[in-house]
Amino acid sequence: KLENATLKAELGRTTWKFLHTMVARFPEKPTSDERKTLDTFFRLFGRLYPCGDCARHFRDLLAEYPPQTSSRNSAAGWLCFTHNMVNERLKKPVFDCTKIGDFYDCGCGDDKKGKDK
Ligand code: FAD
């Protein structure tokens, strides 16, 4: 089947949105179990992402830059950096990771009052 660049880009945009929104809600002070879960998530993601070339490049990135899981900030910073590595390879503008702040809001409100807000 032919490659369809429009669909491939759409999948990329929606996936990045999900990934950045997910790490923006990662605990500020994760337990070792939560840290392991995030690390495992990205390793499985790298094996299952449906664009095979993208997944292979992402696995190479994981090997060189392992997921940072010690805090929400480090996880968000790591993902922003990783996305920028992909941007560079695709000749896209680099995102200023110091401006990530509240850019990714899940819209879920305070669904766990008093916990990790
Ligand atoms: P996207 O890169 O999709 O970004 C969407 C929006 O996120 C941007 O408009 C911007 O507002 C914001 N953003 C940009 N950079 C950052 C950042 N560093 N941190 C936080 N937010 C940011 N496509 C290929 O053709 N070849 C590949 O090998 C490839 N590998 C990929 C690997 C992964 C893991 C993923 C998820 C996608 C991959 N893609 C690949 C798709 C590609 O990265 C883009 O998603 C797609 O080309 C659409 O690009 P876009 O210009 O809409 O912006």
Side-chain angles (χ1 to χ4, degrees), residues 8 12-13 16 20 54 80 83-84 87 89 92 95 104:
K8 188 176 170 183
R13 265 191 298 281
W16 284 121
H20 290 295
C54 311
C80 188
H83 189 166
N84 273 336
N87 288 342
R89 208 165 52 77
K92 286 176 188 286
F95 189 91
Y104 292 98

Side-chain angles (χ1 to χ4, degrees), residues 3 8 11-12 46 48-59:
E3 175 175 319
K8 188 176 170 183
L11 177 68
L48 290 167
Y49 189 65
C51 157
D53 275 347
C54 311
R56 192 161 41 76
H57 286 125
F58 189 74
R59 288 198 298 275

Side-chain angles (χ1 to χ4, degrees), residues 3 6 12-13 15 19 27 29 34 40 57 65 73 77-78 94 96 110:
E3 175 175 319
T6 307
R13 265 191 298 281
T15 300
L19 293 175
K29 292 182 179 160
E34 286 165 332
T40 304
H57 286 125
Y65 309 103
N73 247 343
W78 169 80
V94 162
D96 180 355
D110 291 337

Side-chain angles (χ1 to χ4, degrees), residues 24-44:
R25 293 282 284 202
F26 188 65
E28 315 253 16
K29 292 182 179 160
T31 62
S32 59
D33 183 59
E34 286 165 332
R35 293 186 61 175
K36 179 88 175 81
T37 301
L38 190 66
D39 185 88
T40 304
F41 173 90
F42 279 113
R43 292 180 192 285
L44 294 175

